[in-house]
Amino acid sequence: VLLCTLAVVSPKCLSDIDIAKVELEEYIDFKIPDINPRYRLHYHVTPPVGWMNDPNGFSYHDGEFHLFYQYYPYDSVWGPMHWGHVSSPDLVHWNQLPTALLPENEQCFSGSAVSIGDTMALMYTAHEVTDKEPYYNESQYLAFSDDGIDFYKYEGNPVLPAAPNGSPDFRDPKVWKYGNEWYVVLGSKTLDQRGRVLLYKSKDLKDWEFLTVLGESQGDMGYMWECPDFFELDGKFVLLMSPQGMKAEGDRYKNTHQNGYIIGSFDYETNEFHPEVDFQEMDFGHDFYAAQTTEHNGKRYVVAWFSMWEVPHVEDVDGWSGAMTIVRELTLVDDRIIMKPLDEMIDLRHHTIMHGRLRSHEVTALPQATELIVEGNIKQKIELYLQGVDGGGKVWVRWDPAVGKVVVDRGAGDVRRVEWSPIGSTTWRIFLDASSLELFCGEGEVVFSSRVYPLGGWKLTNLSSQSLKIEAYHLKRTVPA
Ligand code: FRU
């Protein structure tokens, strides 16, 4: 059906999908006033209304960074996937843009974006519901934009119809260019349910040649590897992915699904990836999944879904669910990825709340959006207790030198814990927002990202027996209210 305006000279015809796009933006604007703001984040990307999961299409195009996300606008639970869209000049301040992809016969699952001159190309997974076992099918689609805002789907879709072994789980393409060729990694599994990552190459993004299985679980790394990414970092290659179905081992792999990486070497001649360091988690908090990276001016940035599958999403009763972590810069030190907050985060410091010592058992109030810098003697125990001024938000951050571990504890046994051996600085940087905590230990060698839900701002208590040096800054808003 084509609806044409009555302009006589040049009739402007709107297709069904164009009309659906206009109606969707009207719907979003109409629903925004219904959102309860109590847990809305001040400097993390969130959906304007409805549900958000994975970061998609994280890229730099025409002078700006773009970030898309898995999006269901009509409810604060997962539903038929759209791609939401924000852009940023600096990876810290974000502008909301119109929804980029709407589902038609296919749901628009995760994928990536590349810039080709003036054109922006998205490659994403078309997830289709079928009437035969296993009742879905996944293939890869392209969409293009000439202005970085309005996207149209390629008429030759799918460009990659099926996995080489016929597995229905074949998703989350991450594309990059090397020399004159495009490469893509895709998440998939073996027919006996072991997660794997596939590598393809293409001259034009449309015809793809299968190259190899880049990595595969030997049985102990889950049944499916979602959202792969593959990139060079400080002379090594990193295979980043989100394995589903890894079993918890002590303090490791305690989230519903995991996110982490394997460091190795790779040769573009032979397409062989040789792992050198076993799988490690990227972040040790409760809420970090489907991380995606992009590179610009020689720097590698990462962002992740700041939430998790199959856990309570406390904000969903407020008309929205899900967020992105702050963007971090990646470097490789020895055998570990270091994640650092961007330098631009310092510009968000609105004013100083505190600069001095917090004595043992002293309490101080902090705004919803606060950066804390904490320095103590790490030869002794450190314990911080954060809670909401008006309730909720209980979280303990601890360091015990006798065990050598940092702990982020949301109470009732909901604990994440990992070894910390500082590689330089021994201070902690803690980013608090209206419903989140991100703890960067030392140089960023250990990071925890966890959602917590305080009401009415934060109250910090120093539960250590030593006094702590504290700097606290109120942070400015960088996302739409
Ligand atoms: C990861 C994931 C992807 C998929 C998307 C669907 O969180 O399961 O594999 O493309 O979410 O929303």
Side-chain angles (χ1 to χ4, degrees):
V1 181
L2 288 178
L3 273 193
C4 300
T5 57
L6 291 175
V8 181
V9 187
S10 99
K12 189 167 183 313
C13 297
L14 290 179
S15 64
D16 281 352
I17 190 77
D18 289 333
I19 294 166
K21 283 182 184 175
V22 172
E23 287 176 352
L24 172 55
E25 295 317 308
E26 282 173 4
Y27 166 83
I28 293 170
D29 288 345
F30 176 73
K31 291 300 272 188
I32 287 175
D34 292 348
I35 298 266
N36 181 338
R38 60 187 175 158
Y39 300 131
R40 285 296 269 179
L41 297 157
H42 297 232
Y43 58 95
H44 292 84
V45 174
T46 54
V49 300
W51 165 274
M52 160 190 280
N53 58 285
D54 313 356
N56 295 156
F58 190 24
S59 56
Y60 185 83
H61 173 73
D62 198 17
E64 275 202 311
F65 290 96
H66 288 260
L67 178 63
F68 302 80
Y69 49 88
Q70 289 285 279
Y71 183 36
Y72 183 58
Y74 299 109
D75 204 344
S76 42
V77 294
W78 191 86
M81 282 290 107
H82 300 55
W83 275 35
H85 188 190
V86 288
S87 67
S88 171
D90 56 6
L91 296 172
V92 167
H93 297 85
W94 295 97
N95 311 307
Q96 189 66 50
L97 293 173
T99 308
L101 295 176
L102 276 68
E104 292 176 85
N105 294 324
E106 90 294 11
Q107 293 191 33
C108 307
F109 272 24
S110 286
S112 51
V114 286
S115 178
I116 314 169
D118 291 338
T119 305
M120 196 168 176
L122 310 181
M123 187 168 182
Y124 67 98
T125 296
H127 178 94
E128 285 165 292
V129 175
T130 62
D131 52 11
K132 275 204 240 94
E133 279 251 32
Y135 303 109
Y136 63 92
N137 174 59
E138 292 180 338
S139 62
Q140 315 315 318
Y141 276 26
L142 292 176
F144 296 100
S145 172
D146 304 321
D147 61 4
I149 295 175
D150 193 28
F151 289 83
Y152 50 93
K153 296 175 187 173
Y154 172 54
E155 64 281 3
N157 284 332
V159 291
L160 258 175
N165 64 356
S167 167
D169 292 284
F170 179 49
R171 58 180 175 267
D172 312 334
K174 176 74 191 329
V175 189
W176 73 99
K177 196 171 196 181
Y178 180 77
N180 288 324
E181 273 163 325
W182 298 103
Y183 287 79
V184 70
V185 278
L186 273 147
S188 193
K189 56 166 63 156
T190 61
L191 297 180
D192 64 351
Q193 308 293 315
R194 289 177 289 117
R196 52 157 45 170
V197 170
L198 309 169
L199 177 68
Y200 292 78
K201 84 172 175 187
S202 168
K203 292 212 176 318
D204 58 4
L205 295 175
K206 292 168 183 163
D207 285 315
W208 289 94
E209 176 195 350
F210 172 64
L211 296 178
T212 190
V213 174
L214 202 61
E216 188 173 280
S217 165
Q218 298 311 310
D220 54 350
M221 283 197 55
Y223 55 80
M224 171 68 196
W225 288 2
E226 298 189 307
C227 301
D229 197 340
F230 190 60
F231 53 91
E232 207 177 334
L233 188 66
D234 299 327
K236 292 282 172 195
F237 278 81
V238 176
L239 176 59
L240 170 67
M241 73 285 202
S242 295
Q244 293 183 294
M246 280 180 78
K247 299 218 166 28
E249 279 173 31
D251 289 331
R252 293 293 199 273
Y253 320 139
K254 290 181 74 174
N255 292 333
T256 315
H257 302 309
Q258 315 311 321
N259 177 265
Y261 58 92
I262 296 169
I263 297 171
S265 58
F266 178 73
D267 180 348
Y268 277 102
E269 293 293 309
T270 60
N271 302 309
E272 276 173 33
F273 175 62
H274 293 289
E276 292 167 7
V277 188
D278 284 348
F279 180 80
Q280 310 178 61
E281 285 157 288
M282 184 101 147
D283 185 291
F284 298 96
H286 299 74
D287 297 285
F288 188 93
Y289 195 65
Q292 191 174 81
T293 74
T294 192
E295 191 261 352
H296 180 61
N297 280 344
K299 292 187 173 178
R300 180 63 59 174
Y301 301 103
V302 73
V303 65
W305 179 31
F306 200 173
S307 195
M308 187 47 65
W309 292 112
E310 293 149 48
V311 297
H313 300 112
V314 176
E315 68 271 27
D316 62 5
V317 293
D318 293 347
W320 67 286
S321 175
M324 292 290 143
T325 62
I326 57 169
V327 173
R328 299 126 190 228
E329 191 187 331
L330 303 183
T331 50
L332 199 65
V333 175
D334 299 329
D335 287 342
R336 177 144 187 91
I337 287 184
I338 304 298
M339 291 200 281
K340 259 204 187 319
L342 303 189
D343 295 342
E344 288 75 6
M345 290 303 289
I346 292 177
D347 304 337
L348 304 195
R349 294 176 183 173
H350 186 267
H351 64 267
T352 309
I353 313 271
M354 179 173 176
H355 198 141
R357 297 203 85 91
L358 193 66
R359 290 188 309 273
S360 175
H361 290 87
E362 202 180 342
V363 183
T364 188
L366 303 168
Q368 281 190 314
T370 296
E371 180 189 346
L372 273 179
I373 300 181
V374 181
E375 219 181 302
N377 174 3
I378 62 157
K379 297 208 173 84
Q380 295 168 23
K381 285 187 187 179
I382 296 175
E383 183 169 20
L384 302 176
Y385 175 42
L386 285 146
Q387 60 187 311
V389 170
D390 300 327
K394 289 188 178 158
V395 58
W396 290 260
V397 180
R398 301 191 189 99
W399 159 249
D400 183 348
V403 206
K405 290 190 179 185
V406 180
V407 176
V408 173
D409 179 353
R410 295 195 299 198
D414 193 10
V415 176
R416 297 292 179 273
R417 186 181 1 232
V418 73
E419 305 79 26
W420 178 42
S421 11
I423 60 167
S425 156
T426 55
T427 33
W428 290 347
R429 268 179 97 179
I430 304 178
F431 288 88
L432 300 171
D433 204 341
S435 53
S436 70
L437 175 148
E438 283 155 296
L439 162 65
F440 295 83
C441 300
E443 307 290 325
E445 59 273 12
V446 163
V447 181
F448 292 81
S449 305
S450 296
R451 298 293 303 280
V452 266
Y453 295 88
L455 287 166
W458 295 93
K459 209 160 77 179
L460 167 68
T461 312
N462 175 11
L463 289 184
S464 337
S465 46
Q466 57 172 316
S467 85
L468 298 171
K469 236 176 97 192
I470 304 269
E471 281 171 54
Y473 302 97
H474 184 187
L475 297 185
K476 292 178 208 159
R477 175 174 280 284
T478 66
V479 296

